[in-house]
Amino acid sequence: RVCNPAFKTLPLHLFAEIASKMIETIDKKPVEIKNLMQRFTLDVLGKVAFGFDFNSLGNPNSVYVTTYNEVQKAILGPLSLFFPIDRIPIIKQKRLKKVNKLNNIFNEIIKEKHKALAAGKFQGDLLELMLNANENLDNQMLSDADLRNIKEKAREEVLRILGDNLIPSAEQHKSLKYLNMIIHENLRMYPLAPSLQYRKLTEDLRFKNFTIPAGTLIELFIYGIHHSPKLWDNPEEFLSERFENEFTTGENYSWLAFGGGTR
């Protein structure tokens, strides 16, 4: 939901601008196509997602390109595919150093975006939308006190029922009521699959006052069901207590984290 506005209307002028730079690069000298497309993609994502010009096409040796390549090589090197070399302390330390360098670059971009927003400069890129969404959600998130209370209650229940044996039996699992309430509410607010796979009608379907013609693609929008005020009181609030009673799919299939069946 946060990302859609940034990509719903594709900024074709940005693609055209960056594609022109790529063509200029090709005209100048022979190029390695994989590297070229990688830099093209980086520039497109920089513009669309961050409102930032990495200029990797114009400067293939920039800190952005070299740092990205270092991280990719460290994580996706051929040895990593066959051996757990990341467990070797010195290699792990080197990897973390490179990842932190990349993170610092992104942190600087975020700081500059904050400054731009504070100055009233809006571009509508993904980073801007995410920062705005984060600020708008602050009032809806649980307070630190609420989080501590939830964690303490869950921990107390686990220790009381399981003791030193942290692998629950089937009967013990049923007794972990508060923990299951938390899990159910998490899956309600953030379902693993926001929607189920499309189904194509093979014949006309009459639904209430509507006729859906054969050939129509039907999608079950689980996220919408889980956040519908018609089905849930205060759907945007985290309230694990709503699952206090034994719960499966709920009335009229109002909870569909795993479809309509049990897991």
Side-chain angles (χ1 to χ4, degrees):
R1 295 172 68 189
V2 172
C3 300
N4 279 346
F7 293 98
K8 188 173 182 180
T9 303
L10 290 175
L12 296 180
H13 65 285
L14 292 180
F15 283 90
E17 176 187 323
I18 299 171
S20 296
K21 289 179 66 176
M22 182 176 67
I23 292 172
E24 290 176 7
T25 302
I26 295 174
D27 286 343
K28 290 178 181 178
K29 58 183 178 181
V31 295
E32 200 278 305
I33 193 65
K34 179 181 178 181
N35 177 271
L36 179 68
M37 294 308 299
Q38 183 184 68
R39 288 186 283 132
F40 172 77
T41 303
L42 184 61
D43 281 353
V44 169
L45 288 176
K47 286 280 191 177
V48 176
F50 304 111
F52 185 85
D53 186 8
F54 288 116
N55 191 31
S56 59
L57 283 171
N59 183 9
N61 297 316
S62 70
V63 65
Y64 310 114
V65 178
T66 55
T67 303
Y68 172 79
N69 287 336
E70 286 174 3
V71 171
Q72 188 179 49
K73 184 177 179 181
I75 296 176
L76 301 176
L79 285 177
S80 302
L81 299 176
F82 303 101
F83 305 103
I85 61 173
D86 57 318
R87 297 182 183 179
I88 302 174
I90 189 171
I91 293 179
K92 183 177 181 179
Q93 188 176 9
K94 286 182 178 180
R95 284 185 172 183
L96 287 175
K97 186 176 180 180
K98 292 174 181 177
V99 171
N100 287 335
K101 183 180 178 182
L102 184 62
N103 285 338
N104 289 335
I105 289 174
F106 286 125
N107 287 336
E108 287 301 317
I109 293 174
I110 292 172
K111 287 180 182 178
E112 291 302 316
K113 179 60 69 175
H114 272 299
K115 291 179 182 178
L117 292 176
K121 299 177 181 178
F122 303 100
Q123 293 178 286
D125 54 74
L126 177 58
L127 177 58
E128 180 181 301
L129 293 170
M130 291 178 70
L131 292 176
N132 283 330
N134 184 59
E135 292 176 3
N136 292 333
L137 286 172
D138 280 346
N139 294 330
Q140 299 178 21
M141 302 296 282
L142 293 170
S143 67
D144 290 341
D146 289 334
L147 284 172
R148 282 196 299 271
N149 182 50
I150 290 172
K151 288 190 288 187
E152 287 172 4
K153 287 178 67 175
R155 183 174 185 274
E156 185 278 327
E157 180 185 69
V158 170
L159 293 176
R160 173 169 47 82
I161 294 174
L162 301 186
D164 294 330
N165 181 18
L166 296 182
I167 301 178
S169 65
E171 289 303 315
Q172 287 175 320
H173 179 268
K174 293 179 182 178
S175 300
L176 294 170
K177 293 184 178 180
Y178 188 69
L179 185 61
N180 278 300
M181 285 162 54
I182 295 173
I183 293 172
H184 271 76
E185 179 66 345
N186 267 292
L187 289 172
R188 182 194 68 81
M189 294 197 72
Y190 311 106
L192 299 174
S195 61
L196 293 184
Q197 189 174 4
Y198 289 105
R199 294 291 188 272
K200 186 176 182 179
L201 292 181
T202 57
E203 57 185 40
D204 291 352
L205 174 67
R206 185 70 180 173
F207 179 72
K208 294 186 176 181
N209 296 324
F210 302 94
T211 298
I212 306 174
T216 302
L217 294 177
I218 302 295
E219 179 186 21
L220 187 61
F221 186 35
I222 295 176
Y223 187 94
I225 294 172
H226 283 193
H227 288 256
S228 171
K230 294 180 180 179
L231 300 172
W232 303 94
D233 294 330
N234 303 315
E236 300 303 324
E237 292 185 26
F238 186 93
L239 299 170
S240 56
E241 289 74 15
R242 66 174 92 241
F243 293 100
E244 202 160 6
N245 298 320
E246 188 173 349
F247 197 89
T248 52
T249 58
E251 185 179 356
N252 298 325
Y253 292 93
S254 57
W255 188 86
L256 294 166
F258 298 105
T262 58
R263 292 293 186 275

